[in-house]
Amino acid sequence: MKSILVLLLSMLSCSSLWAQEVNQVEVLEPGSLAQILEERGLTTAEQLSISGGLNTQDIRTIRHLCGGHDEMPEDEVYTETLRVLDLSEADIVEGDKAEYYYYDAMGTISPNRYINAPNQISWYMFANTTSLEELTLPRSVEVIQAAAFIHSSIRKVYIGSSTHTIRKYAFFDCPELEFVGIPSSAQKVDVCSFSQCPSLTLVKCDATIPPQAVDEEAELLGSTHNPDMSQCVLLVPEGCHVAYAGAEFWRDFKSVVEETTAVRPIQLPVSSEEWVMGVDGIRKDKRHQGVKIVRTSDGRYVKRAR
């Protein structure tokens, strides 16, 4: 059995370092985000940190920055430039019933599905986005609704500290998704949340009690799309290994590893080629800057920094 030493896994609770300048934007009046970005020349920004109240119109603006196309053809501009978005200090506020942030091919499957609900990441809010890679969700968000990220390009998601429920298919068919950080407030996670996410290698769950694993799809239709978690490592709080290793859904992960400030062993893929992992637990290019764990061609694991 091959193992690897992981240093300072507690750093996973922080977003990755950004190489470029992060543009700070405060929305004092919900609905004004598009105007603010236009005035500040940020309509093609690659990295944004947005605070303040965001209504349905603001979410539609964000979707356009991320290349979030609707199912219906629209005569609108999609910049597809935004890669990193920090919404930790933002609040999702109630939307105008006449405004939608997404339009499906059938027009109105549900009249309220694509309208902001307070403190929720609603249906398709980040669906079909093509440029967004890293997202930090608002601390105030309590629920991530079904299909919120379906078919998106997202790679890393840091879920806010108030979220207690992740609904079915929340991250369904996100082929680039590598990492999800689940907060200590989590109480319920649908087992289909991570279906068809072949790149998912690390889930960090801070809840000391394993969140209840539910299968809403099976309950409603008698079928399920349970994900294959056999290639994904689960990182849990210190002292919680036994609870997660015996819990439904969570025991299906490749391995359950306790987070600690000490050095701990963790099983990870073995390759004949040099293998690199950053302190965020994600496999990296060999040229990755900073502290990293490297598997050399002769099978040794070493810590390097540059």
Side-chain angles (χ1 to χ4, degrees), residues 117-292:
N119 300 326
Q120 293 189 25
I121 301 299
S122 301
W123 282 79
Y124 276 59
M125 189 169 280
F126 291 95
N128 301 324
T129 53
T130 57
S131 66
L132 187 62
E133 298 177 4
E134 181 174 327
L135 174 64
T136 303
L137 291 174
R139 293 192 178 102
S140 55
V141 163
E142 298 175 352
V143 178
I144 298 177
Q145 290 290 359
F149 290 86
I150 191 169
H151 310 316
S152 76
S153 61
I154 196 71
R155 291 177 180 270
K156 299 180 185 179
V157 178
Y158 300 86
I159 298 174
S161 56
S162 298
T163 300
H164 55 73
T165 301
I166 302 175
R167 301 290 303 279
K168 63 180 181 179
Y169 302 135
F171 299 94
F172 183 80
D173 191 23
C174 293
E176 305 300 322
L177 183 64
E178 300 173 344
F179 169 80
V180 177
I182 300 175
S184 59
S185 55
Q187 299 175 15
K188 184 181 298 185
V189 175
D190 193 283
V191 298
C192 297
S193 298
F194 307 114
S195 293
Q196 296 191 25
C197 296
S199 300
L200 189 60
T201 54
L202 180 64
V203 170
K204 179 178 184 291
C205 187
D206 291 336
T208 54
I209 298 176
Q212 179 187 2
V214 298
D215 190 344
E216 297 177 57
E217 193 69 13
E219 292 171 6
L220 294 173
L221 303 176
S223 62
T224 185
H225 289 83
N226 284 352
D228 178 7
M229 308 308 293
S230 62
Q231 300 303 311
C232 187
V233 172
L234 175 63
L235 183 63
V236 302
E238 189 169 10
C240 296
H241 177 276
V242 173
Y244 276 89
E248 184 179 354
F249 172 64
W250 304 107
R251 62 179 175 234
D252 297 334
F253 281 71
K254 176 179 181 177
S255 59
V256 178
V257 180
E258 291 185 6
E259 179 179 13
T260 175
T261 54
V263 175
R264 304 281 298 195
I266 178 173
Q267 269 194 289
L268 286 169
V270 175
S271 169
S272 60
E273 300 178 353
E274 187 178 79
W275 195 93
V276 177
M277 187 184 76
V279 292
D280 59 359
I282 305 301
R283 188 167 180 170
K284 305 289 185 181
D285 183 90
K286 297 177 185 178
R287 296 166 294 180
H288 174 68
Q289 300 294 313
V291 178
K292 58 189 177 183

Side-chain angles (χ1 to χ4, degrees), residues 102-117:
Y102 179 86
Y103 291 89
D104 60 57
M106 298 180 66
T108 54
I109 293 179
S110 172
N112 297 316
R113 178 174 288 182
Y114 310 121
I115 300 171
N116 278 22

